Amino acid sequence: MAEKHVVIDVGDGAALPRKRDRGLFSAWWIALIGALSIISYLCLTRPDPYWRVLKFLPDGIMVTFQVTILSILLALVLGLFTGLGRISKNRAINLIASTYVEVVRGIPLLVQLFYIYFALGQVFANLPDSNALFIFLKNMPPLVAAVIAMGICYGAYMGEVFRAGIESIDHGQTEAARSLGFSRTQTMFYVILPQAWRTILPPVGNEFIALLKDSSLVSILAVSDILRRGREFASVTFNYFETYTMVALVYLVITLLLSKIVSTMEERLNYYERR
């Protein structure tokens, strides 16, 4: 059965490699080899401070991955339910999902981080110390606040990705499944979503990479990500240019590798679809 072609709005994530970009001299290889060559040259010719900066960043890299993965998992869950809510015929559910998307997309991520960590803390401060949940909310760790804020923010974008992906599947698929005795829920999870995933995967990959880059904002909450570790090193050594040069190159290498992984997953998915 034919599928409708629907344009999906995506964020400002890095562009995934396309088929014509592949090859020995593709833009992806040039960028990756160039970044690794510059890092190697700087560390060999000026180990102090470049090599010292590089040795100082691994802990921040692990924290960045931790924030990114937890946030994207939360965003995927919120995005799935938001996308289903956006296409729901129940007006109340549709209105709630649409309002969530409109409100969250209209507020900058930086403001959301400040609000969840600093402003909500004042609301929770009035809760009694009667159970562990209230105590946890009153003393929310910066990492948890960062994951919640980024998950909620990107959940709104993911909701639009899921909505567009689901709507790209021809309505005949739904009618065929229902005529075979599938319920609405079974039709969605066994028929529509497996087919929509091929359309959803590329923009989800772009959002994942964009979220990794935006995770640098969590440094304002004292989360020791890559940027925070770089700031700590620069504040002690006053080598700002060298430190942020290395931080930028590390971010570039990580995003390039992630874009390749997402591109490979998309290629594998298309391969199995064609078999």
Side-chain angles (χ1 to χ4, degrees):
M1 300 178 184
E3 296 181 1
K4 294 186 294 184
H5 296 283
V6 174
V7 177
I8 299 179
D9 294 327
V10 297
D12 59 349
L16 300 180
R18 295 171 298 178
K19 287 185 178 180
R20 62 175 176 269
D21 291 336
R22 296 167 188 162
L24 183 61
F25 300 105
S26 68
W28 185 87
W29 278 111
I30 291 173
L32 180 64
I33 294 174
L36 292 176
S37 300
I38 294 173
I39 291 174
S40 301
Y41 174 77
L42 293 175
C43 290
L44 290 173
T45 56
R46 290 187 59 190
D48 187 11
Y50 287 109
W51 177 239
R52 290 177 56 206
V53 176
L54 195 59
K55 290 195 300 181
F56 197 74
L57 295 181
D59 289 343
I61 295 174
M62 295 303 296
V63 173
T64 295
F65 275 115
Q66 186 178 9
V67 171
T68 303
I69 292 173
L70 292 176
S71 300
I72 200 69
L73 291 176
L74 177 60
L76 283 172
V77 173
L78 290 175
L80 174 60
F81 284 103
T82 302
L84 294 175
R86 290 274 282 164
I87 62 172
S88 174
K89 295 181 180 178
N90 186 307
R91 296 189 62 181
I93 295 176
N94 192 303
L95 184 61
I96 292 172
S98 300
T99 303
Y100 163 64
V101 172
E102 295 299 335
V103 170
V104 172
R105 288 201 310 180
I107 302 175
L109 175 57
L110 184 60
V111 178
Q112 294 181 44
L113 283 167
F114 276 128
Y115 187 84
I116 290 178
Y117 185 62
F118 294 108
L120 285 185
Q122 296 183 357
V123 176
F124 297 145
N126 297 322
L127 296 175
D129 294 333
S130 56
N131 58 52
L133 177 60
F134 290 170
I135 297 175
F136 176 79
L137 292 176
K138 291 172 63 176
N139 304 283
M140 186 181 298
L143 181 64
V144 176
V147 170
I148 292 174
M150 299 195 67
I152 290 175
C153 180
Y154 273 84
Y157 294 105
M158 291 290 187
E160 290 300 272
V161 171
F162 275 98
R163 178 192 60 77
I166 292 170
E167 289 182 341
S168 70
I169 304 302
D170 190 87
H171 188 64
Q173 299 280 351
T174 301
E175 294 176 344
R178 295 303 304 276
S179 66
L180 292 174
F182 283 65
S183 66
R184 289 184 182 276
T185 303
Q186 290 173 327
T187 300
M188 180 57 65
F189 285 95
Y190 295 145
V191 178
I192 303 301
L193 283 178
Q195 296 182 76
W197 184 243
R198 192 177 67 172
T199 306
I200 291 171
L201 182 60
V204 166
N206 269 339
E207 296 295 338
F208 178 58
I209 296 168
L211 194 152
L212 185 139
K213 291 189 299 180
D214 283 347
S215 69
S216 61
L217 294 174
V218 305
S219 63
I220 62 171
L221 304 184
V223 177
S224 295
D225 70 327
I226 298 174
L227 183 59
R228 177 76 181 185
R229 294 286 288 175
R231 289 171 60 185
E232 292 173 355
F233 186 89
S235 64
V236 174
T237 62
F238 299 101
N239 293 314
Y240 292 99
F241 176 79
E242 294 85 350
T243 300
Y244 291 119
T245 297
M246 193 58 70
V247 167
L249 290 170
V250 169
Y251 268 116
L252 176 59
V253 171
I254 292 174
T255 54
L256 286 171
L257 293 177
L258 287 178
S259 69
K260 190 66 175 178
I261 291 173
V262 174
S263 175
T264 303
M265 290 175 60
E266 181 186 356
E267 185 180 350
R268 291 286 181 88
L269 188 62
N270 289 333
Y271 171 76
Y272 288 117
E273 287 286 335
R274 291 193 299 267
R275 291 183 66 185

